[in-house]
């Protein structure tokens, strides 16, 4: 991969990144379970936006001592034409400094514009202007967290914006190349989009730059009013497991994270999914 | 349309339940608006358990009213959202049961956070200073939070 221009650029090559295996997204409700079952978790993924001060940062450092922490942003709004919020970047830099994660991930999306916080990830039009916007913001992000490899995640989207010039897969590829980022491939988002937009998920995966895949997200959603909602409230569906089994032998995946945000199950059910993901990675060699 | 204009327009339409922009699937757009509202309501429900119980089936329409007039801000925008909703109920409701439920849920949030509406990204921050407050449910109690991170909590039943 070509290196990004500018100081602090970090080239993302999955094979040079540490292997973390299977883990979960962190919920404060599971703080003690995470510590108790640390031997079964390869990583816990935490959201820096949720760290509200020194006590939160101290908790994060304690968790990192028990299980390696991965940092996953949800609110930088990397696709915003207005650029990034310096306060959020400073906050992220403080959290990164405390945790020293092997990489940092964010979404190919925007979540605020004109002072309005959407509260969710909104899609970008699949065009060159959006590609250049994400690349420029990624450059700014890199300057805030120098030396930390950047991963970008494909999102689930329910509607497509006017002004698209390419397919979703071409757009993701273009963004990753322009930003020189690794791919956090959310297979549940692929599953959801394939259901809602009527495409073949394997065909979609085949058209992505799989050599950039560093991390995978798995989750489970629900069908509501005829559409599949990526709600992170259910066990991982078999369709997404099948995608992981297809993907694992074709990539150098370093971590698989099971995401669960609501309707939290007994921790044992989550651990069973973690073990299954680990077995898929082990089986892929 | 330039990307910035498109995003500003889309953000307002999504949050304020306005029609889909031209060229966008209106059904899918409306579905997304409903999902956004459900996400806000679910997050607020976790943070405001007493108020949710006290409102009962009115929880949905009352929260819809709130969504129509308030746009949350900051990194912990779900906390800001719940906080604003509880404050509105506490301020506007004539039902003492609802006001007490809102007050108690606000105390629970204030024990953990401080909220500064003048701030944007850091509107919600961890509380480091002391707090003295009254809780009414499940029983009347005075709660004291001592300064520090996280700061010890003392409950005195009264």
């Amino acid at each position: 991969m070509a290196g990004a221009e500018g100081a602090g650029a970090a080239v993302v090559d999955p094979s040079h990144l540490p292997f973390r295996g299977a883990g979960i997204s962190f919920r404060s409700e599971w703080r003690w379970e995470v510590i108790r079952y640390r031997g079964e978790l390869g990583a816990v993924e935490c959201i820096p936006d949720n760290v509200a001060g020194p006590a939160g940062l101290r908790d994060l450092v304690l968790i990192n001592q028990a299980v390696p922490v991965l940092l996953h942003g949800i609110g930088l709004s990397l696709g915003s034409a207005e650029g990034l919020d310096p306060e959020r970047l400073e906050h992220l830099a403080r959290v990164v400094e405390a945790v020293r994660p092997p990489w940092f991930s964010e979404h190919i999306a925007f979540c605020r514009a004109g002072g309005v916080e959407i509260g969710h990830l909104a899609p970008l039009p699949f065009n060159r202007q959006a590609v250049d916007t994400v690349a420029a913001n990624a450059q700014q992000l890199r300057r805030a967290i120098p030396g930390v490899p950047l991963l970008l995640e494909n999102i689930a989207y329910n509607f497509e914006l006017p002004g698209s010039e390419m397919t979703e897969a071409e757009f993701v590829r273009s963004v990753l190349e322009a930003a020189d980022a690794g791919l956090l491939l959310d297979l549940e988002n692929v599953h959801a989009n394939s259901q809602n937009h009527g495409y073949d998920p394997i065909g979609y995966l085949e058209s992505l730059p799989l050599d950039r895949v560093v991390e995978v997200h798995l989750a489970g959603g629900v069908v509501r009013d005829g559409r599949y909602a990526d709600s992170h409230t259910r066990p991982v569906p078999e369709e997404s497991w099948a995608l992981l089994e297809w993907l694992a032998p074709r990539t150098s995946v370093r971590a698989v994270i099971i995401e669960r945000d609501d309707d939290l199950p007994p921790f044992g059910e989550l651990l069973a999914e973690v073990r299954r993901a680990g077995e898929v990675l082990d089986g892929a060699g | 349309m330039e990307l910035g204009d498109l995003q500003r327009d889309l953000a307002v339409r999504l949050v304020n339940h306005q029609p889909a922009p031209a060229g966008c699937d209106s059904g899918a757009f409306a579905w997304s608006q409903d999902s956004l509202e459900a996400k806000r309501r679910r997050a607020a429900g976790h943070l405001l358990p007493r108020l949710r119980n006290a409102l009962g089936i009115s929880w949905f329409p009352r929260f819809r009213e709130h969504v129509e007039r308030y746009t949350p801000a900051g990194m912990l925008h779900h906390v800001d959202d719940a906080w604003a909703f509880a404050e509105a109920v506490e301020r506007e409701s004539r039902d003492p049961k609802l006001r007490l439920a809102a007050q108690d849920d606000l105390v629970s949030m204030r024990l953990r956070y401080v909220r500064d509406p003048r701030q944007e990204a850091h509107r919600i921050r961890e509380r480091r200073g002391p707090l003295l407050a009254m809780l009414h449910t499940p029983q009347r109690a005075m709660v004291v939070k001592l300064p520090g991170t996280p700061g010890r909590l003392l409950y005195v039943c009264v």
Side-chain angles (χ1 to χ4, degrees):
Chain A
M1 281 180 217
E5 292 172 12
V11 178
V12 177
D13 179 350
S15 62
H16 290 154
L17 293 171
F19 182 79
R20 291 288 185 248
I24 60 167
S25 57
F26 182 71
R27 302 285 315 180
S28 56
E29 294 91 332
W30 286 331
R31 180 185 291 115
W32 300 114
E33 282 88 349
V34 162
I35 291 171
R36 182 175 174 191
Y37 295 103
R38 59 189 177 276
E40 299 199 44
L41 297 168
V44 286
E45 191 165 78
C46 299
I47 295 173
D49 310 57
N50 290 345
V51 177
L57 203 57
R58 193 186 58 185
D59 281 356
L60 202 58
V61 169
L62 285 174
I63 292 162
N64 197 31
Q65 286 168 359
V67 185
V69 163
L70 303 177
L71 290 180
H72 180 55
I74 57 171
L76 280 184
S77 202
L78 278 185
S80 275
E82 298 165 355
L84 303 183
D85 178 351
E87 282 194 60
R88 287 170 192 263
L89 281 179
E90 282 171 27
H91 175 80
L92 173 65
R94 276 195 295 275
V95 179
V96 164
E97 176 63 25
V99 173
R100 298 184 178 276
W103 57 78
F104 171 72
S105 57
E106 248 291 355
H107 299 84
I108 304 174
F110 80 103
C111 57
R112 86 181 58 81
V116 176
E117 189 81 40
I118 297 172
H120 198 65
L121 303 162
L124 299 167
F126 303 146
N127 63 27
R128 195 68 227 174
Q129 193 186 5
V131 169
D132 294 342
T133 298
V134 177
N137 287 335
Q139 193 98 315
Q140 192 186 350
L141 169 58
R142 278 208 172 90
R143 285 194 289 272
I145 51 170
V148 179
L150 172 64
L151 313 186
L152 297 177
E153 178 182 347
N154 59 307
I155 67 161
Y157 59 100
N158 298 303
F159 56 87
E160 207 172 313
L161 288 174
S164 289
E165 300 160 351
M166 51 184 107
T167 66
E168 182 202 342
E170 288 166 345
F171 177 68
V172 171
R173 175 187 283 273
S174 301
V175 166
L176 295 174
E177 287 171 357
D180 194 29
L183 176 57
L184 193 177
L185 184 53
D186 190 315
L187 290 176
E188 176 62 4
N189 289 347
V190 174
H191 172 232
N193 290 339
S194 71
Q195 299 273 305
N196 292 333
H197 302 287
Y199 61 64
D200 168 30
I202 296 293
Y204 172 83
L205 292 180
E206 282 174 333
S207 52
L208 291 177
L210 296 181
D211 59 329
R212 288 180 186 258
V213 177
V214 174
E215 184 183 338
V216 166
H217 275 178
L218 292 172
V222 291
V223 175
R224 182 171 60 79
D225 299 332
R227 299 186 71 81
Y228 191 90
D230 167 44
S231 57
H232 297 186
T233 57
R234 294 287 180 273
V236 177
E238 285 305 317
E239 293 91 331
S240 292
W241 285 116
L243 295 180
L244 179 64
E245 282 159 12
W246 182 91
L247 182 81
R250 291 168 171 80
T251 56
S252 302
V253 174
R254 307 279 90 186
V256 176
I257 295 296
I258 312 288
E259 296 183 291
R260 195 70 179 250
D261 292 342
D262 220 329
D263 295 346
L264 303 182
F267 200 69
E269 288 181 23
L270 207 67
L271 280 181
E273 293 190 306
V274 168
R275 285 188 207 108
R276 183 171 173 181
E279 285 163 11
V280 175
L281 292 183
D282 290 345
Chain B
M1 189 188 278
E2 286 297 303
L3 185 62
D5 297 330
L6 179 75
Q7 290 178 335
R8 280 187 288 277
D9 178 59
L10 190 81
V12 169
R13 287 174 188 271
L14 270 173
V15 170
N16 295 342
H17 277 268
Q18 293 176 8
C24 223
D25 179 339
S26 58
F29 194 79
W31 189 93
S32 295
Q33 289 170 318
D34 290 344
S35 290
L36 277 175
E37 185 179 324
K39 186 179 174 185
R40 286 178 64 176
R41 193 172 56 236
R42 201 165 51 238
H46 286 308
L47 289 163
L48 307 172
R50 301 173 184 89
L51 183 56
R52 188 186 56 198
N53 284 339
L55 278 168
I57 56 168
S58 303
W59 167 256
F60 287 83
R62 284 297 288 270
F63 197 79
R64 164 56 71 94
E65 285 172 25
H66 165 73
V67 164
E68 286 170 355
R69 63 186 184 180
Y70 188 73
T71 304
M75 283 187 279
L76 292 171
H77 48 82
H78 60 292
V79 180
D80 178 57
D81 202 16
W83 199 305
F85 180 48
E87 278 190 342
V89 173
E90 184 190 31
R91 192 172 54 240
E92 295 162 9
S93 178
R94 293 178 182 176
D95 182 343
K97 203 175 76 175
L98 287 183
R99 283 204 305 274
L100 279 185
Q103 278 171 22
D104 280 359
D105 282 335
L106 280 167
V107 167
S108 295
M109 285 195 285
R110 284 185 180 123
L111 286 171
R112 192 164 172 202
Y113 302 111
V114 289
R115 177 172 179 258
D116 183 352
R118 294 166 302 176
Q119 294 280 335
E120 188 69 27
H122 294 289
R123 177 165 293 185
I124 301 290
R125 278 172 298 137
E126 221 170 62
R127 172 174 291 283
R128 299 176 72 184
L131 182 75
L132 175 65
M134 286 297 295
L135 278 172
H136 303 87
T137 52
Q139 61 184 99
R140 276 173 64 83
M142 188 169 65
V143 57
V144 182
K145 180 166 188 178
L146 300 177
T149 52
R152 289 187 65 188
L153 279 178
L154 303 171
Y155 287 89
V156 182
C157 293
V158 292

